[in-house]
Amino acid sequence: MTTEMSPESVSGPSSTDQSGPESFSTTASKVTTVLGWLSLASIAALLAFGLLISPPEISQGESVRLFYIHVPSAIVCLYIAFSITFVGSVIYLRKQSVFWDLVAGASAEVGVVFLGFTLATGMLWGKPTWGTYWTWDPRLTSTAVSFVLYLGYLAVRRLDMDPVARSKRAAILGIISFANLIIIRYSVAWWRSLHQGTTLDPRDTQLDDSMLVSFFLGLVALSLTFAWLVIHRFRVAWLEHQLEAQQLEVAIAERTASAGPTGLAAGGA
Amino acid sequence: MIRHAKLIAAKDLRIEVSSKVLTAQILPFGVLVLVLFGFGIPPDRRVLGTDTDVSRSLLEQAAPGLFWLAVLFSALLAINRSFAIESADGNLDALRLAGFDPGGVFLGKSLAVAAELIVLELVVGLGAFLLYGPPLNDVVLLVATVTLTTGALAFAGILYGALGAGSRLRDTLVPLLVLPVLAPVLLAATRATESALFGPSSDGWAWVGFLGAFSLLYLGAGILSFGSLLEES
């Protein structure tokens, strides 16, 4: 990610690299520009296949098309985004690298957006299929709880306190939240299994070839979009981090220049 | 670590005894929630029990869940209180300076909250029996459920309470953090209590196992991570 960037844009952000702000003038690079166009192209292909080429499903009708975005976005946020947050949190706690802290945060933030999207599309699919927006289906219920779980993680990242202590707390939370994700999922599934039979499972239905292509395209499109968003979100966070560090230096420099060495000591007393 | 935990727990409980926040504020709140549930759920509506053909009042059938909800909301107050008493004068930093083992601080604060929760559960539980009038099928299962749920609430609550400690946003942050985490506990405790009240007991013991595993997990996580959480708080 960092090696192929053009010199006028991003110079490899890492925990040790403290290069000046002029080297980080845009959050785009050649790689992300290509990634962005690939995302758009795959979304266009997904629209063509998902809405026009693939047939409606026998029992679910047209609403099956929601699955081409619903299931991929669930996979991207629950399996990819929060795993990245987990890994980033572990590495941050071991190495104290700002890079991984910001990666964990960026991934969780975009993950929460995808999770909200998953919930919304799931409910839209539920209305024509189950006749109601909400049922106490295990997946739906546990996804809603997980959504709030990661909103809490994002809230901790915005706490009004020392950035290092905050990052440490966020990292611990990023690790435990991942365990909670699993606990919530299994406990809710177990809870519902005692009370009702399994609900309609999309994986049981036979998929036409063009449906499989649409589903695969959805997975590709949403993964690419996710990667593109996370990289940009990370770079904005990295800029913010550099700006904070730089503001302090500028303030100190201005104070020193205006007061002089003796004046500073007197002013600081 | 155990010795430090005892010291911290004793300190928190002494503060509790002298300030009487539990008895004067948290207990009445818990009982009030029980009464308010009666306004939300029509008391004279009757439903068929899930287990038998016996018809019960809706409140009676929902009693296990309502009891644990009342306990959960009151527990949030107890958890916030546990960190409110540490927020003045950088008390958590002072505890570290005094050479307290972070795991011991975690264990001590958890035990103090657990002791308060036991009192709370006795009073709110008595209130629930009086107000909702459910039967009691298996006392041993009920005691096991209450004990392990108390552990789960205290350990997870103190760990998450520490995440908000030292911030002005603590009061609003901690419920957001801890409620989704405790959702599985609420679920398990409600199911186990349903079995203990209405039977059959066999279903309940599986959930008790879940509560035990959850408590142990958070006990371990709290002892391991409390050092990092207390640093620079």
Side-chain angles (χ1 to χ4, degrees):
Chain A
M1 175 176 93
T2 54
T3 49
E4 298 169 56
M5 288 161 183
S6 54
E8 68 275 10
S9 60
V10 184
S11 68
S14 74
S15 58
T16 48
D17 185 0
Q18 295 293 335
S19 50
E22 63 279 357
S23 67
F24 210 143
S25 53
T26 166
T27 59
S29 68
K30 273 179 192 162
V31 176
T32 46
T33 309
V34 172
L35 198 57
W37 282 110
L38 280 177
S39 308
L40 278 178
S42 58
I43 289 172
L46 169 65
L47 288 174
F49 262 89
L51 294 179
L52 302 172
I53 299 174
S54 68
E57 210 257 349
I58 300 162
S59 60
Q60 299 170 36
E62 301 289 346
S63 65
V64 73
R65 301 181 197 283
L66 275 167
F67 271 116
Y68 307 143
I69 49 174
H70 171 76
V71 180
S73 85
I75 291 173
V76 167
C77 63
L78 291 173
Y79 294 100
I80 301 176
F82 299 144
S83 302
I84 294 176
T85 302
F86 174 77
V87 171
S89 302
V90 170
I91 299 179
Y92 176 78
L93 280 184
R94 288 180 153 267
K95 295 187 176 172
Q96 317 289 317
S97 98
V98 178
F99 175 87
W100 283 105
D101 175 48
L102 297 179
V103 166
S107 185
E109 205 168 302
V110 181
V112 164
V113 174
F114 273 65
L115 195 51
F117 185 69
T118 305
L119 273 176
T121 48
M123 288 168 73
L124 284 176
W125 176 84
K127 183 66 181 169
T129 315
W130 292 331
T132 170
Y133 287 111
W134 190 266
T135 66
W136 296 95
D137 168 66
R139 279 207 202 103
L140 213 53
T141 312
S142 59
T143 305
V145 179
S146 312
F147 183 64
V148 185
L149 186 74
Y150 276 90
L151 282 182
Y153 171 81
L154 294 181
V156 166
R157 295 198 66 90
R158 279 173 182 67
L159 273 182
D160 51 327
M161 57 188 291
D162 172 59
V164 176
R166 183 180 56 203
S167 299
K168 213 175 260 181
R169 287 183 188 189
I172 291 172
L173 191 57
I175 295 170
I176 322 174
S177 296
F178 200 64
N180 279 318
L181 204 61
I182 298 163
I183 296 174
I184 291 170
R185 235 165 166 66
Y186 281 96
S187 66
V188 173
W190 189 15
W191 167 55
R192 292 314 292 174
S193 71
L194 295 176
H195 271 250
Q196 62 169 32
T198 45
T199 44
L200 179 63
D201 190 329
R203 288 178 299 194
D204 292 342
T205 50
Q206 280 294 314
L207 287 177
D208 181 269
D209 277 352
S210 59
M211 288 174 159
L212 270 178
V213 172
S214 305
F215 176 75
F216 180 70
L217 274 171
L219 204 55
V220 171
L222 288 173
S223 302
L224 288 173
T225 311
F226 171 79
W228 184 77
L229 284 169
V230 168
I231 293 172
H232 277 280
R233 184 64 192 91
F234 163 76
R235 287 179 180 161
V236 171
W238 181 257
L239 279 176
E240 282 172 350
H241 170 72
Q242 282 195 327
L243 187 66
E244 271 172 34
Q246 201 204 359
Q247 274 171 343
L248 185 65
E249 279 168 26
V250 169
I252 292 171
E254 281 176 358
R255 186 77 186 88
T256 319
S258 67
T262 49
L264 180 64
Chain B
M1 187 174 82
I2 302 293
R3 195 172 56 84
H4 289 174
K6 280 183 189 164
L7 284 170
I8 297 281
K11 168 193 80 86
D12 278 12
L13 290 175
R14 266 201 305 278
I15 294 175
E16 193 41 60
V17 168
S18 63
S19 68
K20 296 190 179 60
V21 169
L22 178 73
T23 46
Q25 295 177 17
I26 301 181
L27 286 182
F29 172 80
V31 175
L32 179 66
V33 171
L34 284 184
V35 177
L36 292 181
F37 279 141
F39 299 163
I41 298 171
D44 36 15
R45 177 83 48 84
R46 296 192 77 77
V47 289
L48 272 183
T50 47
D51 48 317
T52 56
D53 294 336
V54 184
S55 124
R56 297 200 183 96
S57 81
L58 194 51
L59 267 176
E60 187 187 346
Q61 182 63 43
L66 299 180
F67 164 73
W68 283 114
L69 273 176
V71 168
L72 190 59
F73 291 144
S74 314
L76 288 177
L77 299 180
I79 292 161
N80 260 332
R81 170 74 188 152
S82 177
F83 284 95
I85 58 177
E86 305 290 5
S87 65
D89 307 323
N91 229 357
L92 287 173
D93 290 339
L95 287 178
R96 279 175 53 81
L97 272 177
F100 273 96
D101 178 64
V105 176
F106 168 77
L107 198 57
K109 293 198 79 64
S110 304
L111 290 178
V113 165
E116 292 172 31
L117 286 179
I118 292 282
V119 176
L120 179 81
E121 281 152 358
L122 285 175
V123 175
V124 174
L126 185 66
F129 268 107
L130 292 175
L131 290 170
Y132 306 152
L136 181 53
N137 170 59
D138 189 337
V139 185
V140 182
L141 179 59
L142 185 64
V143 171
T145 305
V146 168
T147 311
L148 290 173
T149 308
T150 306
L153 293 177
F155 294 140
I158 291 297
L159 176 54
Y160 277 86
L163 283 164
S167 163
R168 277 173 289 143
L169 304 174
R170 187 195 65 223
D171 291 349
T172 44
L173 177 71
V174 171
L176 174 69
L177 289 179
V178 89
L179 284 180
V181 174
L182 291 179
V185 174
L186 176 71
L187 219 155
T190 302
R191 288 287 169 243
T193 309
E194 274 177 1
S195 294
L197 298 188
F198 309 122
S201 305
S202 53
D203 293 349
W205 285 108
W207 286 109
V208 166
F210 172 85
L211 288 168
F214 189 97
S215 304
L216 280 180
L217 183 73
Y218 269 89
L219 176 64
I223 289 176
L224 286 177
S225 64
F226 225 59
S228 307
L229 285 178
L230 289 189
E231 263 170 48
E232 302 157 71
S233 61

